Amino acid sequence: MFGKRLSLHRDYIIFSALIVVVVVVLLVATSVSIFVSQSRNRNAEYAMQTDIIDRVLTESLDSVSQILRFVGQQIVQTPADVQSITKILKKNAADSKIQTLLSWTVYDWISPQNQILINSTHGILRDPVLSNRSHLSKTNQIQGKLFFSDPNIGLVSKQLVIPAGMGIKNNSGQFIGTINIGILVSELTERIEQALNAKKINFILLSKDNYKIIAESYGNNVPLLNTASFAHELGYIASDEKDSGMLLHPIHYGTREYNYYRDATSYPFIILVGTDEITANAEFWQVTFPRMIEISFMGLFSIILLYYFRKRIVNPIVSLARTAEQISRQQLHVDIPKGNYYEVSLLAEKLEEIQHTKKELTVMQEAEKIARINAEKAQLALKKANASLETKVQKRTAKLQEALNSKDEFLNNMSHEIRIPIGCIMGRAEMLSEDWDMLDNEAKKKELEEIYANSKRLFELLCNLLDLARSKAGKMTYDMEPHDLVQVVKQGIDELEILAVSKGLEIHFENQVVSATVLMDTIRIAQVIRNLLGNAIKFTAGGVLTITLRNAPLKDVDARNVPGIMFILGDQGIGVPEEELGSIFDVFTQSSKTKTRAGGSGLGLSVCREIITAHHGIIWAENNGEGPGSTFSFILPLILQNSPVA
Ligand SMILES: Nc1ncnc2c1ncn2[C@@H]1O[C@H](COP(=O)(O)OP(=O)(O)OP(=O)(O)O)[C@@H](O)[C@H]1O
Ligand SMILES: [Mg+2]
């Protein structure tokens, strides 16, 4: 039911169109109604006017008839005295009353043989002439009645006259002659027109005998003989309907139109009346035009009123509706049109409030959206942080675990490293004290040497531990002085050569440098060389140990290359697994190859790295590319360039 919504704009167009249609319909209806009413009125008027014409005609011709009858009686009273007849005629002719109606200038007294005996102009004719009036034969038949001939121009008057005549009988009933006169057509039509008192009506008098024109309105003064006959048109009607009234097809004659006809009551005439088109149109427009103006004005006024309402109410409401629609589609920055009327302005104000609220809402929604996005981002970041924290924790835990494991291993190793030499020392010392007397000197010496070796091992272990602890605490002190590295290397070789030889190892030393002066604490560097060489001896079953000194670049703290001297110690021992080459420098860390077999604290290399790092150098291990064994190297900055030192 409400599916199709109404639209103000559409209704405005419909109403405007309706007004135009109504105006057009009203105009047409009014015109038709006026036309019909005028036609109807005209018919009534035609009937009335015809009556008037008939009355005037009857009155006029009756008076003519009376006069002629009177004259006739006079003639009858003195039948032989034509003189007196002439006198009577002349006397009557002088009567101004009837002179206006009759043309007494043309009258005749005519014998039964149609001879003109007396003429109003010429008096008694000595030689009577035959009359040519057509009605004369009829006057013989019915005396005392007027008969007419076709109109013609009077010989004397030179005017259009209707010849009329009346037969006269004497007292014994004998036909004695005819009085003949001419009725002035102009006079007759003037009388009729005066009676009609309305120029707009046209009329024609026709002879009933031959339907020829006897008289015509407006044409009465024209001395022309109208010979037109309407026998065809009126003959048909007259025979068919035998009644008077409206003609189905108006008769056109000249510029005029004749719509109504009727037989004259007392005389053989037909009366035709009508209104010409120009007059009818003028009449029509005279009434219709003001009505049309009225209706058009009302229509125009309605349209103007509608237009005004459209401009003032419909348009603002339509644009408000459009704006509201835009706002509903989130176009929040549109301008809201203002209305002139209070109600429209109120609507605009409320819409503005809605727009404002919506704007605020949008801002809030936007803020909420941003907050949500940020929260999501934060959540994501937190997740990532958690994950990385988790990873870090896992790594740390793994490292911790590793450290714990290292510590456990260290404790195991330490207990092993400490218990064995102490056990050895204690056992041999006990044995010496118990069996002192039974042992020869050689045996005693051997035992004492063993005690010394184990004590030394314990001492070195403790020294390493203490060094490391000091270094980690930043309390290790270095006595730095320029010194020849070759000397220190040779000293180290000397110290450990016996041990190497005892294991069937050879030590080869190759010095490739000219100058090997390094700023160093010789005791500490010697400790490093001892440790590295000790390891090589410890983890090599047999073969050659190669020590090389050569020049090599070194990166300083600013990552610039500085000259350095490189110590390289290659062995042919058990080697280090590739992935453990870095970790063996960590505290308490031993290679997986030696953990169980060779023993040791895993501190030596850590101490070495601490010392070399304190000398701004680097230390690393690598496996030999070809053959067994590994190579341990370090580089120290070279500060002097002198001649090679032997
Ligand atoms: N030349 C080498 N060949 C094979 N493995 C070695 C060599 N040098 C060191 N390693 C490995 O590196 C580990 C660490 O050496 P490090 O000198 O720190 O400890 P250690 O010799 O075991 O004990 P410490 O030196 O404290 O008496 C050794 O246990 C060994 O597994
Ligand atoms: Mg060692």
Side-chain angles (χ1 to χ4, degrees), residues 417 461 464 531-532 535-540 571 573-576 584 589-595 599-606 630 632:
E417 288 291 317
L461 180 67
N464 274 342
N531 202 351
L532 293 178
N535 281 350
I537 295 165
K538 188 159 51 170
F539 300 117
T540 306
D571 64 44
I574 57 169
V576 181
I584 51 172
T589 306
Q590 292 181 307
S591 122
S592 52
K593 283 191 176 180
T594 63
K595 273 179 190 169
S601 63
L603 292 175
L605 285 180
S606 298
S630 48
F632 285 77

Tab-separated table of all heavy atoms in Angstrom, residues 417 461 464 531-532 535-540 571 573-576 584 589-595 599-606 630 632, ligand 1:
chain	number	residue	atom	x	y	z
A	417	GLU	N	89.948	-33.576	38.912
A	417	GLU	CA	91.261	-32.951	38.749
A	417	GLU	C	91.959	-32.729	40.090
A	417	GLU	O	93.174	-32.816	40.192
A	417	GLU	CB	91.124	-31.600	38.024
A	417	GLU	CG	90.798	-31.711	36.562
A	417	GLU	CD	91.957	-32.271	35.744
A	417	GLU	OE1	93.102	-31.869	35.968
A	417	GLU	OE2	91.691	-33.125	34.878
A	461	LEU	N	96.180	-25.294	38.382
A	461	LEU	CA	94.719	-25.235	38.354
A	461	LEU	C	94.211	-24.073	39.199
A	461	LEU	O	93.359	-23.275	38.758
A	461	LEU	CB	94.154	-26.559	38.891
A	461	LEU	CG	92.648	-26.676	38.942
A	461	LEU	CD1	92.060	-26.697	37.535
A	461	LEU	CD2	92.241	-27.942	39.696
A	464	ASN	N	95.033	-20.760	37.469
A	464	ASN	CA	94.068	-20.445	36.402
A	464	ASN	C	92.753	-19.929	36.969
A	464	ASN	O	92.194	-18.940	36.500
A	464	ASN	CB	93.787	-21.693	35.563
A	464	ASN	CG	94.817	-21.841	34.443
A	464	ASN	OD1	95.511	-20.868	34.088
A	464	ASN	ND2	94.942	-23.029	33.902
A	531	ASN	N	100.051	-22.467	27.789
A	531	ASN	CA	98.753	-23.135	27.808
A	531	ASN	C	98.454	-23.772	26.452
A	531	ASN	O	98.020	-24.925	26.352
A	531	ASN	CB	97.666	-22.113	28.183
A	531	ASN	CG	96.427	-22.811	28.734
A	531	ASN	OD1	96.332	-24.019	28.668
A	531	ASN	ND2	95.476	-22.044	29.256
A	532	LEU	N	98.680	-22.942	25.343
A	532	LEU	CA	98.369	-23.451	23.999
A	532	LEU	C	99.262	-24.652	23.668
A	532	LEU	O	98.788	-25.679	23.150
A	532	LEU	CB	98.574	-22.348	22.949
A	532	LEU	CG	97.596	-21.156	23.022
A	532	LEU	CD1	97.949	-20.121	21.949
A	532	LEU	CD2	96.144	-21.623	22.818
A	535	ASN	N	98.262	-27.700	25.682
A	535	ASN	CA	97.085	-28.353	25.091
A	535	ASN	C	97.490	-29.209	23.897
A	535	ASN	O	97.046	-30.362	23.750
A	535	ASN	CB	96.067	-27.310	24.618
A	535	ASN	CG	95.239	-26.743	25.774
A	535	ASN	OD1	95.302	-27.262	26.883
A	535	ASN	ND2	94.504	-25.670	25.521
A	536	ALA	N	98.351	-28.610	23.019
A	536	ALA	CA	98.749	-29.322	21.806
A	536	ALA	C	99.457	-30.625	22.170
A	536	ALA	O	99.191	-31.674	21.559
A	536	ALA	CB	99.662	-28.436	20.963
A	537	ILE	N	100.292	-30.540	23.180
A	537	ILE	CA	101.008	-31.748	23.621
A	537	ILE	C	100.020	-32.733	24.209
A	537	ILE	O	100.040	-33.927	23.915
A	537	ILE	CB	102.115	-31.378	24.639
A	537	ILE	CG1	103.193	-30.517	23.952
A	537	ILE	CG2	102.743	-32.617	25.270
A	537	ILE	CD1	104.133	-29.786	24.895
A	538	LYS	N	99.087	-32.169	25.016
A	538	LYS	CA	98.133	-33.023	25.733
A	538	LYS	C	97.241	-33.792	24.757
A	538	LYS	O	96.915	-34.948	24.964
A	538	LYS	CB	97.278	-32.138	26.655
A	538	LYS	CG	96.388	-32.926	27.574
A	538	LYS	CD	95.926	-32.148	28.818
A	538	LYS	CE	95.335	-30.805	28.528
A	538	LYS	NZ	94.714	-30.210	29.711
A	539	PHE	N	96.805	-33.102	23.668
A	539	PHE	CA	95.814	-33.726	22.792
A	539	PHE	C	96.412	-34.277	21.503
A	539	PHE	O	95.707	-34.541	20.546
A	539	PHE	CB	94.708	-32.709	22.463
A	539	PHE	CG	94.001	-32.226	23.701
A	539	PHE	CD1	94.047	-30.898	24.093
A	539	PHE	CD2	93.306	-33.151	24.490
A	539	PHE	CE1	93.407	-30.466	25.238
A	539	PHE	CE2	92.667	-32.706	25.643
A	539	PHE	CZ	92.713	-31.370	26.022
A	540	THR	N	97.726	-34.423	21.492
A	540	THR	CA	98.369	-35.008	20.309
A	540	THR	C	99.161	-36.247	20.742
A	540	THR	O	99.950	-36.179	21.677
A	540	THR	CB	99.317	-33.992	19.632
A	540	THR	OG1	98.580	-32.798	19.375
A	540	THR	CG2	99.880	-34.525	18.322
A	571	ASP	N	98.956	-28.601	15.372
A	571	ASP	CA	99.317	-29.939	15.881
A	571	ASP	C	98.703	-31.001	14.989
A	571	ASP	O	97.991	-30.693	14.026
A	571	ASP	CB	98.864	-30.079	17.336
A	571	ASP	CG	97.368	-30.020	17.499
A	571	ASP	OD1	96.641	-30.677	16.690
A	571	ASP	OD2	96.858	-29.283	18.409
A	573	GLY	N	96.894	-33.592	16.405
A	573	GLY	CA	96.163	-34.312	17.442
A	573	GLY	C	94.740	-34.677	17.083
A	573	GLY	O	94.411	-34.862	15.902
A	574	ILE	N	93.933	-34.683	18.103
A	574	ILE	CA	92.560	-35.207	17.924
A	574	ILE	C	91.615	-34.191	17.252
A	574	ILE	O	90.539	-34.539	16.776
A	574	ILE	CB	91.946	-35.636	19.288
A	574	ILE	CG1	91.948	-34.445	20.276
A	574	ILE	CG2	92.674	-36.831	19.866
A	574	ILE	CD1	91.131	-34.704	21.519
A	575	GLY	N	92.023	-32.922	17.236
A	575	GLY	CA	91.184	-31.887	16.599
A	575	GLY	C	89.968	-31.522	17.448
A	575	GLY	O	89.719	-32.142	18.482
A	576	VAL	N	89.274	-30.514	16.987
A	576	VAL	CA	88.089	-30.029	17.722
A	576	VAL	C	86.891	-30.091	16.752
A	576	VAL	O	87.031	-29.655	15.609
A	576	VAL	CB	88.287	-28.576	18.201
A	576	VAL	CG1	87.053	-28.085	18.979
A	576	VAL	CG2	89.526	-28.460	19.067
A	584	ILE	N	84.984	-23.605	22.874
A	584	ILE	CA	86.051	-24.134	23.741
A	584	ILE	C	86.784	-23.026	24.482
A	584	ILE	O	87.493	-23.278	25.453
A	584	ILE	CB	87.072	-25.013	22.966
A	584	ILE	CG1	87.571	-24.270	21.713
A	584	ILE	CG2	86.463	-26.363	22.601
A	584	ILE	CD1	88.705	-24.998	21.012
A	589	THR	N	84.643	-25.022	29.575
A	589	THR	CA	84.150	-25.760	28.412
A	589	THR	C	85.264	-26.577	27.790
A	589	THR	O	86.357	-26.062	27.523
A	589	THR	CB	83.577	-24.789	27.372
A	589	THR	OG1	82.600	-23.969	28.014
A	589	THR	CG2	82.916	-25.546	26.226
A	590	GLN	N	84.873	-27.816	27.590
A	590	GLN	CA	85.819	-28.712	26.936
A	590	GLN	C	85.183	-29.259	25.682
A	590	GLN	O	83.963	-29.267	25.551
A	590	GLN	CB	86.156	-29.889	27.865
A	590	GLN	CG	86.956	-29.450	29.085
A	590	GLN	CD	87.293	-30.624	29.978
A	590	GLN	OE1	86.407	-31.389	30.377
A	590	GLN	NE2	88.553	-30.783	30.307
A	591	SER	N	85.981	-29.689	24.754
A	591	SER	CA	85.441	-30.264	23.524
A	591	SER	C	84.829	-31.621	23.840
A	591	SER	O	85.238	-32.297	24.778
A	591	SER	CB	86.557	-30.369	22.479
A	591	SER	OG	86.729	-31.680	22.054
A	592	SER	N	83.812	-31.948	23.032
A	592	SER	CA	83.121	-33.214	23.279
A	592	SER	C	84.054	-34.398	23.064
A	592	SER	O	83.804	-35.490	23.543
A	592	SER	CB	81.905	-33.315	22.366
A	592	SER	OG	82.300	-33.081	21.018
A	593	LYS	N	85.143	-34.154	22.351
A	593	LYS	CA	86.082	-35.237	22.106
A	593	LYS	C	86.925	-35.572	23.336
A	593	LYS	O	87.480	-36.642	23.451
A	593	LYS	CB	87.031	-34.853	20.957
A	593	LYS	CG	86.399	-34.962	19.592
A	593	LYS	CD	87.478	-34.835	18.538
A	593	LYS	CE	86.871	-35.042	17.166
A	593	LYS	NZ	87.878	-34.933	16.113
A	594	THR	N	87.079	-34.600	24.225
A	594	THR	CA	88.043	-34.790	25.311
A	594	THR	C	87.415	-34.863	26.692
A	594	THR	O	88.097	-35.098	27.667
A	594	THR	CB	89.052	-33.629	25.330
A	594	THR	OG1	88.334	-32.427	25.591
A	594	THR	CG2	89.786	-33.501	24.035
A	595	LYS	N	86.085	-34.597	26.736
A	595	LYS	CA	85.455	-34.481	28.051
A	595	LYS	C	85.765	-35.675	28.953
A	595	LYS	O	86.077	-35.536	30.120
A	595	LYS	CB	83.945	-34.346	27.902
A	595	LYS	CG	83.535	-32.897	27.720
A	595	LYS	CD	82.068	-32.796	27.549
A	595	LYS	CE	81.719	-31.390	27.132
A	595	LYS	NZ	80.350	-31.287	26.704
A	599	GLY	N	90.494	-35.305	30.343
A	599	GLY	CA	90.414	-34.583	31.608
A	599	GLY	C	90.914	-33.173	31.472
A	599	GLY	O	91.390	-32.773	30.417
A	600	GLY	N	90.762	-32.371	32.519
A	600	GLY	CA	91.169	-30.963	32.454
A	600	GLY	C	90.049	-30.094	32.970
A	600	GLY	O	88.899	-30.513	33.020
A	601	SER	N	90.391	-28.882	33.321
A	601	SER	CA	89.388	-28.001	33.927
A	601	SER	C	88.599	-27.195	32.910
A	601	SER	O	87.529	-26.694	33.192
A	601	SER	CB	90.083	-27.034	34.883
A	601	SER	OG	90.961	-26.217	34.132
A	602	GLY	N	89.122	-27.015	31.689
A	602	GLY	CA	88.450	-26.177	30.697
A	602	GLY	C	88.604	-24.719	31.018
A	602	GLY	O	87.772	-23.898	30.625
A	603	LEU	N	89.676	-24.363	31.686
A	603	LEU	CA	89.872	-22.961	32.064
A	603	LEU	C	90.991	-22.292	31.265
A	603	LEU	O	90.984	-21.088	31.066
A	603	LEU	CB	90.219	-22.860	33.553
A	603	LEU	CG	89.121	-23.231	34.525
A	603	LEU	CD1	89.656	-23.193	35.940
A	603	LEU	CD2	87.955	-22.280	34.394
A	604	GLY	N	91.934	-23.110	30.808
A	604	GLY	CA	93.142	-22.571	30.161
A	604	GLY	C	92.826	-21.620	29.025
A	604	GLY	O	93.325	-20.475	28.988
A	605	LEU	N	91.992	-22.035	28.056
A	605	LEU	CA	91.700	-21.195	26.885
A	605	LEU	C	90.946	-19.926	27.283
A	605	LEU	O	91.142	-18.875	26.675
A	605	LEU	CB	90.895	-21.982	25.838
A	605	LEU	CG	91.707	-23.018	25.033
A	605	LEU	CD1	90.806	-23.733	24.028
A	605	LEU	CD2	92.867	-22.362	24.287
A	606	SER	N	90.082	-20.048	28.337
A	606	SER	CA	89.357	-18.853	28.802
A	606	SER	C	90.339	-17.815	29.306
A	606	SER	O	90.227	-16.617	28.986
A	606	SER	CB	88.392	-19.208	29.935
A	606	SER	OG	87.439	-20.106	29.481
A	630	SER	N	94.560	-29.641	14.903
A	630	SER	CA	93.975	-28.307	14.848
A	630	SER	C	95.068	-27.258	14.974
A	630	SER	O	96.210	-27.572	15.306
A	630	SER	CB	92.946	-28.139	15.968
A	630	SER	OG	93.491	-28.570	17.189
A	632	PHE	N	95.848	-23.373	16.612
A	632	PHE	CA	95.430	-22.283	17.498
A	632	PHE	C	96.303	-21.077	17.208
A	632	PHE	O	97.523	-21.189	17.138
A	632	PHE	CB	95.576	-22.710	18.972
A	632	PHE	CG	94.499	-23.665	19.402
A	632	PHE	CD1	94.545	-25.015	19.020
A	632	PHE	CD2	93.432	-23.236	20.164
A	632	PHE	CE1	93.537	-25.891	19.420
A	632	PHE	CE2	92.436	-24.102	20.557
A	632	PHE	CZ	92.470	-25.445	20.185
B	1	LIG	N1	95.374	-28.729	20.754
B	1	LIG	C1	94.173	-29.196	21.084
B	1	LIG	N2	93.685	-30.288	20.401
B	1	LIG	C2	92.448	-30.765	20.695
B	1	LIG	N3	91.625	-30.242	21.631
B	1	LIG	C3	92.107	-29.179	22.336
B	1	LIG	C4	93.349	-28.592	22.077
B	1	LIG	N4	93.506	-27.542	22.893
B	1	LIG	C5	92.381	-27.456	23.625
B	1	LIG	N5	91.542	-28.435	23.291
B	1	LIG	C6	90.238	-28.673	23.837
B	1	LIG	O1	89.812	-27.496	24.418
B	1	LIG	C7	89.492	-27.749	25.818
B	1	LIG	C8	89.748	-26.578	26.629
B	1	LIG	O2	91.122	-26.351	26.802
B	1	LIG	P1	91.613	-25.686	28.092
B	1	LIG	O3	93.050	-25.443	27.934
B	1	LIG	O4	90.778	-24.488	28.327
B	1	LIG	O5	91.273	-26.712	29.191
B	1	LIG	P2	92.037	-28.031	29.584
B	1	LIG	O6	93.323	-28.064	28.867
B	1	LIG	O7	91.109	-29.095	29.414
B	1	LIG	O8	92.271	-27.806	31.110
B	1	LIG	P3	93.328	-26.771	31.756
B	1	LIG	O9	94.032	-26.098	30.675
B	1	LIG	O10	92.511	-25.903	32.581
B	1	LIG	O11	94.205	-27.610	32.530
B	1	LIG	C9	90.256	-28.876	26.148
B	1	LIG	O12	89.652	-29.604	27.200
B	1	LIG	C10	90.213	-29.698	24.866
B	1	LIG	O13	88.998	-30.414	24.800
